[in-house]
Structures are given as C-alpha cells and as structure tokens.
Amino acid sequence: MYVAVKGGERAIENAHRLLAHERRGDRDVPEVSIAQISEQLSLGVDRVMAEGSLYDRELAALAIKQSRGDLIEAIFLVRAFRATLPRFGATEPVDTGEMQVRRRISSTFKDIPGGQILGPTFDYTHRLLDPQLAEGFAPEGPMVGDASGAATPRVTDILGRDGLIEPSPQGRADAIVGDLTREPLDFPAERDLRLQNLARADEGFLLALGYSTQRGYGRNHPFAGEIRFGEVEVEFMAEDAGFAVPLGSITLTECQMVNQFKGSATEAPCFTRGYGLAFGQSERKTMSMALVDRSLRARELGEELIAPAQDEEFVMSHSDNVQATGFVEHLKLPHYVDFQSELGLLRKLRKEFADATAAAPMREAAE
Amino acid sequence: MNAPSYNFAYLDEQTKRMIRRAILKAIATPGYQVPFASREMPMPYGWGTGGVQVTAAILGPDDVLKVIDQGSDDTTNAISIRKFFGKTAGVATTTSTAEATVIQTRHRIPEAPLHGGQVLVYQVPIPEPLRFLEPRETETRRMHALGEYGLMHVKLYEDIARFGHIATSYAYPVKVNARYVMDPSPTPKFDNPKMDNCPALQLFGAGREKRIYAIPPHTNVVSLDFEDHPFARYRFDAPCALCGAGDSYLDEIVTDDKGGRMFVCSDTDYCETRQAAGHRGSESAAPHREVAHG
Ligand SMILES: [Zn+2]
C-alpha cells in the first residue's frame, strides 16, 4: 500500500519556525539591533539601499537582519516592499557639483579646485586582520578642521569648459524620466533606462563586466576623472506651490570616468564619458557602473560591438540579482512532471538504440 | 518605520488595471506575448510571480481558487501561493478542479475537462518559444511579427534526423489561432491537446520576463509537427496504482533502491475523486477485486 506524501503545509510552517530560530542564533549572545547594523555594517546597508532602489537605511538594516546577512535576500525584501509603494513623480535632478563632499579624489589631475579629500576609505590600509576589533575597541575620534568653504567643481566640468570632454546630454525639462520598474523594458533602451538598470544591478556582475573591459573585451581606456561621495539635496517640484520643495538630503557616490576620445572630420576630438551613481558609499559599484555605461555606449559612438560588456541586451537582461537568483534557485522547485516526460523519451530512444545495435550484427552476418 | 499595509489580493488597484489591460490585449491577439510592467512580488522570480500577478489582477471576492504545482494541490509552492491569496484576498480555496473558478498551475493542465467561465492561469518561466534558438528578444519579436517560424521547424526536423523523434517532451510548441507560435509553459506534451478548443480562458503570466499571453475560450491550438511525424502524446503505459486510471499522466515513484517503481496520477484531485467514486488500483488501501491490473 502506498500513501501519497501529504502535510506540506505543516512542513513549511515548521521550516519557517526553524529559520527564525537559526536566525536568532545562540540566545546567550545579545541580539543585534537595527541601529547596530545601520551604524556598524553601513556599507552593507548602502549596498542593499542601492540595489534595492530604496533610500531607507532603517528598512535596509531590517532587511539585512531578517535575511541573516544574505545581502541579495535583503535586496529582494526591500524590492518587494518598494514595489507596493505609490509613485508620486520624479525629483528635480540632483546637483552633485553642490555635494557636501566627504570624500573626493581624481586620478587625472594632481591638484584640483577644492582639493583631493581622502575621507573614510579602505584605500592604503594594510589588509591585516586587526585583533583589537575582536575585543571591543574604542577608536580615537576623527581629526577635525575648519571647512574651507571652497567650491568643489566636478573635474568633468573643468575639462568640459575647454571642450576636452563631450558635454553631458542635457535633459529636457518636459521629458518623462524612464522607469523600468513601471514600464516593461524594450530594446534598444535609452541611456536613462540603461543607467537605471546599472544602478540597480548586482555589484559583482558589474565588477566582472567592468573588469573584462580592462582586460581587453571592449577596452575603452578609462581614467577615474573623479569619484566623490557625500550629501546632496533632493527637491521635488510641487505643482500646487509652483516651486521646488526640499525633501532632505541623501548620501551618494558618483564616479565619472574619462574615456578614450572620439572625433571625426567634422567634429573635434574629445574625451568621452562613463557614468556611475549609487546610494551611500559604493565606490566599487559606481566605478564598475561607469566602465559598463561607457561600454554600452559603443553603438552610439560608432564602435565595433565585440565584447559582452558592450551588448546591451545581454548586460541589461542579466544584471539584476533578484531576477537571477530567483530563476537559478527555482531549479529547487519540483520538476518531476517534466522529468518524467524526459525519462520516457530517453527510455524510448535507448530501447530503439539497443534494438538497432542488436539487429545490426545479424544483418551483417546475413549479407 | 514605514509599516507595510497591503491591498486586496496584494497588488494596488493601479497595478491591477495595468495588468488587466495587458490581459485584454493578450485575449484580443491569441498567443501574442504582451509586455507588461511586472512588479516585484514577495516571492522569488521563477517561482510563479507572473501567474500570481495575473491571478491577483483577475481575482474577485467571490472567486474560488485552486493552485496546483506538478498537478498536485499539496506541493510546497502550490501551498505557499494558495496561502498567499488566502491571506491577502481572503478568497475561498479548493482542491476540486470542477468547483474552482480560477486555477493557477505550474507544469500541468488538470485531467478533468475545464468548463466555460473557468480561468486557467499558467506560471511561465520562459515565454518565448524561440528563445533557445535565438537568444535575442529584438530578433525573436521580429520573427513573430513576420510569422517567420522556419527556425523552429528546422529544430524539430534536426531532432528527427538525430533521434528519430522530435526530442521535445515538455514545453512543446504550439500554434495558436493559426498565427502565433506559443510556448505552452513547461507542461508535458501530454497536456497539449487539452489547450485546443478549451471552453475555459487560458492566461499565461511570465513575471521575470514581463510577458502575458492568452488563449481565449474555444481557440484552435495545434502542436507543431510534420505529416510523416505527427504529434503524439507520451504517457507511461500503466494504470494508476491508486485509482486505476488508464488515461491520466503519471508520476513515477521510486519505492526502493533495487529498481522498484510505481506509477500514480500526477493530478491528485483527479486521482482522489476517482478513488472516492470507488475506483481502485494495485496499491490502494482496499483494492477492489473486480478492478484488476497487471
Ligand atoms: Zn490515480
């Protein structure tokens, strides 16, 4: 006698209960708070906000706690929540030239107006595990000086004044900003949608693609014109009031790559741009994004399309880690109906093969 | 903190209207893949987000919902989706194919014939039947527009040349209303004939790929084949060990590590309904003597 498997509902409930238990871990160890995650795992929070496309530190920190530190799972949680929010409109373009800069470096000029500012960075740290941190460690307070008040114009604007770099395309005031979370994507995609896709894209995927361009798969001779990180004001045009209302400030990282020049018989040669922008302090992400953005402009700039990073449909269709992880992990779901169908076909083909090979020697003997 | 609160059947009304517009367009152009602004759902892409969005958009408070995966109401993902709608829409749920007004399915079409007024919602992973012949969406859309399906026939022909048969056993392509070649979702080809002239409305939702398509009631659906290699269903040649059915699609159950196998209906409602009506198979709790099986 055979009894079909039942009780899936109980199994699911018990699995989730066990998950909650495992998430908490050893109960003799103090529970981690949202504030601790937000303050002390802040770069993880930044990544979840950036790829989750939702600027909310508290929810991102909650998602990290809920996902047990699995950042893609946390991004998924944030995205699913974001999808339920109404969309009121688009803010005014933020002015990163007016950023309250916490860090700002350029690899193209030794000195720039406003100066190079290292800020909080892993750069130049020696990657030696620090046993002090394991013990509970109170670091010294940061050095404090007087703000210079000097403007920190963007390096690309400085180059642009002499026409050495192509101008950024000017947005039309009446143009609707594309949103691939509200309209299905169509190829070829405009640069606004490409940049939105890249801003949400998996950091690891962009890193690998950007890296591939450096190794010759669609090389585009990049220089890190400028990377800046800090706070910018966000304003929203209130139709009733007739003026832009400040909503507050957000932390952004912006990377502007200066790339190989273009030019023609009718156009003076100039450098080209690759652009990266993300919430929080996300340098690896924005640098990779800028490399890939520039690669994806290959068609627009009349370059030969030969490398994966230049292939818009390939890049944009596979950059989203929430989509990717869902489809890869769906292989865990039962497929036994289809597998049964394949088994049936395979058994039939093998039988025919066996019959044919058994018959063949006899035929030969008869000849 | 921004505490979440959710609408009837989870999606907001604006999103539902957008999806309904896509569904109407899909019904008007049978087999054509309509792009829609698929939302991020609280379950992973590839786990039925397209079907869930379609169901959420058409579900009313009086509907009776059935959810199956692999033909069964009791598979974990079917339970999870049924619970989702039980929680967010509070609709009645059932395991009975006959009683349901909306049936969401993954990988099977129920054995019991569907009737007018019912809606069958398929979860679709890859909506594009030409995808594995041509990876680019820009190309495949052009091929559909021109009705250029030669590549598909070449693929099926190459199967015959290599294996002696069309080596596609599930997600077997069909032509809908003599116009669009369509992916029936990864159902076994055993189920293909059920799509033809079906009295129920069939809706297909692909969340990750952002496509919806449809087969309106009583539409002509033909599985692609050749005159000398006609389409043939596959079914393991045995009666169900529980209900004795000789016409249902069967799951193979491995009973030990010595080659022991048994075969039972993949459609659990069909099997249980038959058992309740007194049909018995070789492994039933109380096999009827008169229903003997070899
Ligand atoms: Zn049965």
Side-chain angles (χ1 to χ4, degrees):
Chain A
M1 178 189 149
Y2 171 78
V3 179
V5 192
K6 284 270 178 192
E9 192 153 354
R10 272 261 305 288
I12 293 175
E13 271 162 23
N14 288 341
H16 292 173
R17 191 166 152 183
L18 180 59
L19 170 70
H21 173 76
E22 299 271 323
R23 176 193 292 126
R24 177 58 184 87
D26 183 346
R27 308 219 178 182
D28 292 334
V29 176
E31 188 178 347
V32 68
S33 73
I34 301 301
Q36 284 172 332
I37 294 170
S38 179
E39 290 299 309
Q40 296 173 39
L41 300 175
S42 54
L43 299 185
V45 172
D46 286 346
R47 181 174 172 193
V48 171
M49 291 198 304
E51 293 173 33
S53 302
L54 187 70
Y55 194 88
D56 189 321
R57 292 202 77 79
E58 213 178 1
L59 287 181
L62 171 63
I64 290 172
K65 179 172 177 175
Q66 190 175 332
S67 68
R68 309 171 71 190
D70 178 338
L71 294 191
I72 292 183
E73 180 69 22
I75 289 159
F76 181 14
L77 288 167
V78 166
R79 290 264 196 98
F81 172 66
R82 180 195 190 274
T84 66
L85 301 176
R87 192 194 143 131
F88 296 119
T91 66
E92 296 296 295
V94 294
D95 184 357
T96 53
E98 292 294 315
M99 181 184 275
Q100 286 290 322
V101 166
R102 279 202 260 169
R103 167 168 164 79
R104 182 232 198 175
I105 54 163
S106 170
S107 68
T108 50
F109 294 105
K110 186 173 180 194
D111 203 2
I112 42 179
Q116 305 245 20
I117 300 164
L118 273 185
T121 177
F122 292 123
D123 295 352
Y124 316 112
T125 62
H126 293 142
R127 268 60 169 204
L128 303 171
L129 280 171
D130 183 356
Q132 273 186 316
L133 279 176
E135 306 280 297
F137 169 63
E140 291 176 71
M143 291 291 292
V144 178
D146 293 324
S148 72
T152 50
R154 289 175 297 210
V155 167
T156 44
D157 292 346
I158 298 166
L159 285 170
R161 223 163 284 140
D162 299 330
L164 291 169
I165 192 164
E166 59 174 349
S168 276
Q170 289 302 303
R172 293 200 326 274
D174 58 336
I176 294 161
V177 182
D179 183 352
L180 55 81
T181 70
R182 297 290 147 137
E183 291 297 328
L185 193 56
D186 203 5
F187 296 110
E190 294 296 312
R191 194 164 174 218
D192 57 344
L193 290 173
R194 291 206 307 258
L195 287 169
Q196 184 189 16
N197 177 285
L198 297 180
R200 290 159 58 87
D202 182 76
E203 178 174 312
F205 180 76
L206 289 190
L207 176 66
L209 279 177
Y211 177 46
S212 74
T213 68
Q214 289 180 288
R215 291 195 65 261
Y217 288 86
R219 189 171 178 219
N220 54 39
H221 305 267
F223 294 95
E226 185 177 354
I227 297 155
R228 57 170 61 201
F229 149 63
E231 277 67 44
V232 296
E233 293 287 330
V234 179
E235 292 179 332
F236 187 75
M237 179 58 85
E239 293 297 340
D240 310 342
F243 57 86
V245 180
L247 298 180
S249 71
I250 60 173
T251 307
L252 291 177
T253 303
E254 180 187 61
C255 171
Q256 300 229 42
M257 289 285 179
V258 175
N259 298 78
Q260 74 189 12
F261 38 82
K262 58 161 191 176
S264 66
T266 53
E267 242 183 308
C270 60
F271 288 117
T272 56
R273 292 170 187 256
Y275 190 74
L277 186 76
F279 291 148
Q281 186 172 10
S282 307
E283 252 167 66
R284 186 187 302 119
K285 166 69 181 265
T286 50
M287 293 180 76
S288 304
M289 177 175 168
L291 291 173
V292 177
D293 169 49
R294 175 60 183 78
S295 290
L296 291 178
R297 297 183 60 210
R299 190 168 20 133
E300 168 203 341
L301 295 171
E303 293 164 349
E304 202 188 348
L305 302 182
I306 42 165
Q310 297 170 320
D311 186 330
E312 170 184 284
E313 204 173 326
F314 176 79
V315 172
M316 293 179 74
S317 301
H318 302 108
S319 61
D320 191 300
N321 53 25
V322 176
Q323 287 175 10
T325 200
F327 201 46
V328 167
E329 294 197 47
H330 108 285
L331 292 172
K332 289 185 277 196
L333 291 178
H335 283 77
Y336 26 81
V337 165
D338 293 344
F339 188 69
Q340 188 57 38
S341 213
E342 289 285 89
L343 262 184
L345 177 64
L346 190 61
R347 281 173 176 149
K348 183 176 180 182
L349 295 176
R350 286 175 62 83
K351 183 169 183 306
E352 286 172 1
F353 179 81
D355 292 349
T357 44
M362 277 190 284
R363 251 203 328 271
E364 272 165 36
E367 274 164 11
Chain B
M1 196 168 286
N2 302 306
S5 68
Y6 302 110
N7 192 28
F8 174 81
Y10 186 77
L11 293 175
D12 59 281
E13 293 303 315
Q14 210 184 342
T15 300
K16 285 187 193 171
R17 277 197 291 276
M18 174 273 291
I19 295 172
R20 287 178 198 140
R21 279 196 295 272
I23 291 172
L24 289 174
K25 187 170 176 183
I27 293 170
T29 45
Y32 170 74
Q33 301 165 55
V34 180
F36 82 111
S38 174
R39 296 291 192 257
E40 258 130 351
M41 298 300 285
M43 59 275 288
Y45 283 118
W47 297 51
T49 56
V52 166
Q53 289 180 79
V54 168
T55 299
I58 63 169
L59 213 55
D62 298 332
D63 273 311
V64 180
L65 177 69
K66 171 181 166 78
V67 184
I68 50 172
D69 188 338
Q70 315 295 299
S72 166
D73 299 272
D74 206 44
T75 35
T76 42
N77 204 42
I79 292 168
S80 165
I81 291 170
R82 191 165 56 239
K83 277 185 82 170
F84 175 74
F85 283 115
K87 194 164 147 188
T88 60
V91 294
T93 59
T94 183
T95 58
S96 161
T97 299
E99 283 170 23
T101 57
V102 177
I103 303 172
Q104 181 168 329
T105 181
R106 175 170 172 265
H107 293 194
R108 276 311 310 276
I109 300 173
E111 306 288 3
L114 301 176
H115 54 76
Q118 286 183 310
V119 186
L120 184 60
V121 178
Y122 296 75
Q123 299 172 203
V124 181
I126 304 275
E128 179 49 72
L130 305 167
R131 179 61 66 240
F132 301 108
L133 308 171
E134 168 52 62
R136 276 172 207 285
E137 185 67 14
T138 36
E139 271 303 302
T140 52
R141 285 187 79 78
R142 192 186 59 78
M143 289 157 79
H144 282 294
L146 300 174
E148 208 177 77
Y149 295 124
L151 203 58
M152 181 62 90
H153 282 102
V154 169
K155 189 262 168 198
L156 297 178
Y157 176 74
E158 281 176 355
D159 276 3
I160 293 169
R162 191 174 310 152
F163 300 111
H165 302 277
I166 292 173
T168 300
S169 63
Y170 62 93
Y172 190 101
V174 294
K175 196 167 215 177
V176 179
N177 200 27
R179 175 59 181 90
Y180 287 103
V181 166
M182 189 198 90
D183 183 302
S185 89
T187 49
K189 69 177 178 180
F190 175 86
D191 285 337
N192 273 23
K194 297 176 190 166
M195 291 188 291
D196 181 38
N197 196 31
C198 177
L201 169 63
Q202 301 174 74
L203 299 176
F204 299 77
R208 195 176 37 78
E209 301 279 343
K210 302 178 169 52
R211 296 289 183 273
I212 286 172
Y213 52 102
I215 303 174
H218 302 292
T219 301
N220 180 245
V221 179
V222 179
S223 301
L224 300 185
D225 63 357
F226 297 100
E227 265 173 36
D228 50 345
H229 282 272
F231 172 83
R233 307 167 101 182
Y234 160 80
R235 175 184 183 275
F236 190 85
D237 187 21
C240 168
L242 295 180
C243 75
D247 57 355
S248 63
Y249 191 76
L250 300 171
D251 278 344
E252 178 172 343
I253 313 281
V254 178
T255 51
D256 56 41
D257 58 358
K258 299 173 190 70
R261 300 269 193 280
M262 63 178 285
F263 292 86
V264 298
C265 293
S266 123
D267 183 335
T268 47
D269 174 59
Y270 183 72
C271 196
E272 282 161 17
T273 306
R274 279 180 52 84
Q275 290 177 63
H279 296 280
R280 291 290 180 268
S282 58
E283 299 292 324
S284 304
H288 280 189
R289 281 198 178 279
E290 61 271 29
V291 191
H293 296 295

